[in-house]
Structure formats: C-alpha cells, structure tokens
Amino acid sequence: MEETVNDRPEWTALPDLASRKFGGTVMWATDELFAEKENLVNPWTPAHRAETFGPKGQVYDGWETRRHREPGDDQAVVRLGLGGAITGVVVDTAFFKGNYPPFVSVEACAVEGYPSAAELSEMDWDVLVKRGAAAGHTENFFEIGGSKRYTHVRLTMHPDGGVARLRVHGTPIPDPGLLDPGALDLAALENGAIVTGCSNMFYSSPNNLFSPGLAAHQAEGWETARRRDDGNDWVTVRLAGAGVVRFAEFDNSNLKGNAPGWAALSGRDGDGEWVELLPKTRLQPDTRHRFALASGPEVTEVRLDVYPDGGMARLRLFGALTDRGHADLASRFESAQG
C-alpha cells in the first residue's frame, strides 16, 4: 500500500482472518475463569476500565486463565472467519501487565467442513510460532510469511495468564467449490479479493470496505483525513479473479458530514491498462448507491476514486468470473494445500 501503518509491520495491513467481523470464533479453551475466550477475536481495539471488578476479579477485554499450581499450559482454538495463507500473527497483551504469559506458541491446521473442537484435537497441527517470548501490555508481532492455506489456529500460553487479542493477518483463499463463478461479489475478501493500494487510511482501514454485512457505524468503513490540496483519495483492490463487473454498490451509510461528494470506478484490463467502468458520479451522504455498469471488459483489479476525500462504508462489485478468473482462483486454492 502507498501509506504505511504507523510503525507496525507492513503485513498488519492485511485482513485479520480470525476477526469476529468475518465470522471467526473461539471454539474451545482449557480455562477462562477470569475473562472469556471470545474476547480474543473482537475486532475493536482492547479497552480497559481500571478497578472494575466482578465476582471473579478485574474485568478484562481479553482472555485470562487462572494461575497454574501444577505443570501445564493453557490453549485456545480459533476457527478462522476467512481461510487463507497466514503472513503474521499478533498476540496483543494490552492491559495485562503482571498477568501476561511470558511465552506463547501458535499452531495452525487446514480442515474441510466444520469439525468440533474434540475432532480438531486429533488433527496434525503445523507450528507457526514455536514458544516465542511475549511482553506484557503490548502487541507482540510474529512474522510467518507462509503460503499454505489454513482454517484453524491454536494459541498456547506458557504456562498461563492473559491475552487481549489474537490477530491472524494474511491473504484469504476461498474454496472455489463453494462459490458461484457466474454471480458473486468480485471485491469481497471472503471470495479472495485483496486490497493492493490506498492513498490514505488515517481513520480506518480500506479492508473494511470489503467486509461482509452492513457497517454499524462510521468506524466500520474506510475514512481518510481531510484533504487540503487539489488531489483526491483512492483505493485499489485485486478482484477474486479476472471477471466482468456488472453492478457497483457505493455504500456510505453512517457517513453524513464526511461522505465523498463524488466517486468514480476504473478497472485494469488484460493489457494492464486502466479503463473507465463508471464515470465521476455524484453521491448523497448516508446512502447505499447501486449502479448498473455498461458491458465492460474483463478486469483483474479495480480502483475506486472518491472526490475529494471522506469515507465509504462498503464497496460491492457484483459480476462474474471469466474462465481465466475461475481457473486462477482454483489454481491458488490448489497450490495453497501444502
């Protein structure tokens, strides 16, 4: 992407495959006496209110186990919301200062269907992070850089303690057998699309544009800083595969005084040239706009331009994969089987 993500590793700009907003869930944990395991995949930044005590102690926005008095470790199993190749993981111990695990491990496996936690315990797991040192009240970054597709991850705390969030960043790789190539959202992350560039993401990530469902509030979309020049903001996305876009939906719901005034859409064709899909078009704030596109060429990447700046909740690009696009998607899936 054109803009860096502060001082965090570049791979953290990739989607969080484990996030609850994509359907990720914590299936099982050895213990969750102090704080619930489900907090691990919450999409928002961990929060904390000091001296907020419940019957089991300080209330944490994270997962916390009891203190071990015998040898052993604590584990949690997460089913990813998006199966894909894992580039890096973040074990965030925000607000866990005297009760964080000194070491963590992360494993992953790929399984068809929807196995139970008991069935997963019998599977072979690949080690992604082998007993890595962790610090308290911080984001602990572990680069993976793999290309194999996974559907589940297992976090182990050595021996116990608390973790606020587990972020699993990577590239979604869908199962082509579960997609209709003739009618799908070519820009959806769950269908294999990925953000390739962005002019500005001051307030929120452009990945939000391609998340499932409707945005509940402004922070669940993409919003840029206010421009003070003559330029405009933009984002590019590599489609799930080469395809023909038939309908475009620009949804700026919840964005009222910060919605763009206009938007335009272009696509990269087979020759690598950018062609117009939708000319600069006026938008209304807090509105879902749907446009039928003229019969256009096969494109592999799409660029959304917003004028001059502002926010967009969702971008949907409905259409069909071409034969080449379907073959490429199937090839990516097969090569990621490991």
Side-chain angles (χ1 to χ4, degrees), residues 23-276:
T25 186
V26 186
M27 300 177 63
W28 170 87
T30 51
D31 182 84
E32 50 181 331
L33 185 137
F34 287 117
E36 295 81 3
K37 64 185 186 300
E38 286 81 8
N39 291 327
L40 280 173
V41 296
N42 286 339
W44 56 84
T45 301
H48 184 72
R49 293 177 59 193
E51 299 185 8
T52 305
F53 290 93
K56 297 180 180 179
Q58 169 68 43
V59 177
Y60 280 100
D61 184 8
W63 169 49
E64 186 185 7
T65 67
R66 73 190 73 206
R67 301 185 188 215
H68 280 197
R69 299 311 186 198
E70 296 179 356
D73 299 316
D74 282 317
Q75 291 185 325
V77 173
V78 176
R79 183 178 67 234
L80 300 179
L82 300 174
I86 299 173
T87 305
V89 298
V90 183
V91 179
D92 187 351
T93 57
F95 304 107
F96 290 101
K97 300 177 180 180
N99 50 352
Y100 64 92
F103 299 94
V104 295
S105 299
V106 180
E107 302 161 281
C109 69
V111 186
E112 292 185 4
Y114 305 93
S116 67
E119 290 168 332
L120 286 169
S121 68
E122 304 297 323
M123 303 294 179
D124 292 328
W125 292 76
D126 295 339
V127 176
L128 303 184
V129 178
K130 184 178 181 179
R131 200 176 175 86
H137 191 44
T138 191
E139 290 182 299
N140 297 275
F141 301 105
F142 300 97
E143 186 170 358
I144 308 301
S147 58
K148 183 177 177 180
R149 181 180 185 268
Y150 293 107
T151 58
H152 297 75
V153 295
R154 183 165 63 189
L155 171 67
T156 301
M157 298 191 293
H158 303 283
D160 54 38
V163 171
R165 297 288 188 272
L166 175 66
R167 307 294 193 199
V168 182
H169 295 279
T171 304
I173 303 175
D175 182 346
L178 301 177
L179 299 179
D180 179 357
L184 74 165
D185 180 358
L186 294 167
L189 297 178
E190 63 184 351
N191 293 338
I194 196 76
V195 174
T196 54
C198 178
S199 61
N200 184 279
M201 47 183 151
F202 183 86
Y203 287 109
S204 47
S205 170
N207 286 311
N208 292 340
L209 282 171
F210 311 105
S211 298
L214 300 176
H217 48 72
Q218 289 186 21
E220 290 190 355
W222 167 56
E223 186 180 357
T224 71
R226 300 190 187 209
R227 276 195 171 263
R228 305 304 186 190
D229 57 24
D230 295 330
N232 73 280
D233 286 315
W234 53 268
V235 62
T236 55
V237 56
R238 188 200 72 198
L239 301 180
V244 176
V245 183
R246 299 180 181 133
F247 300 92
E249 184 175 294
F250 301 156
D251 180 1
N252 57 23
S253 296
N254 309 306
L255 297 147
K256 300 177 181 179
N258 49 356
W262 302 264
L265 204 64
S266 54
R268 192 188 295 273
D269 65 17
D271 297 323
E273 300 294 328
W274 288 98
V275 296
E276 182 179 90

Side-chain angles (χ1 to χ4, degrees), residues 266-335:
S266 54
R268 192 188 295 273
D269 65 17
D271 297 323
E273 300 294 328
W274 288 98
V275 296
E276 182 179 90
L277 300 180
L278 184 73
K280 186 176 178 179
T281 302
R282 190 185 69 171
L283 303 181
Q284 297 295 333
D286 192 28
T287 301
R288 292 174 65 188
H289 310 75
R290 191 177 177 96
F291 301 101
L293 307 185
S295 180
E298 174 189 79
V299 294
T300 58
E301 191 174 6
V302 165
R303 170 170 166 146
L304 168 69
D305 282 275
V306 295
Y307 301 91
D309 55 29
M312 191 76 73
R314 296 289 187 267
L315 172 64
R316 307 297 191 203
L317 301 174
F318 300 105
L321 291 170
T322 60
D323 290 342
R324 179 167 73 99
H326 191 224
D328 288 346
L329 190 150
S331 177
R332 290 204 303 273
F333 179 78
E334 291 299 325
S335 64

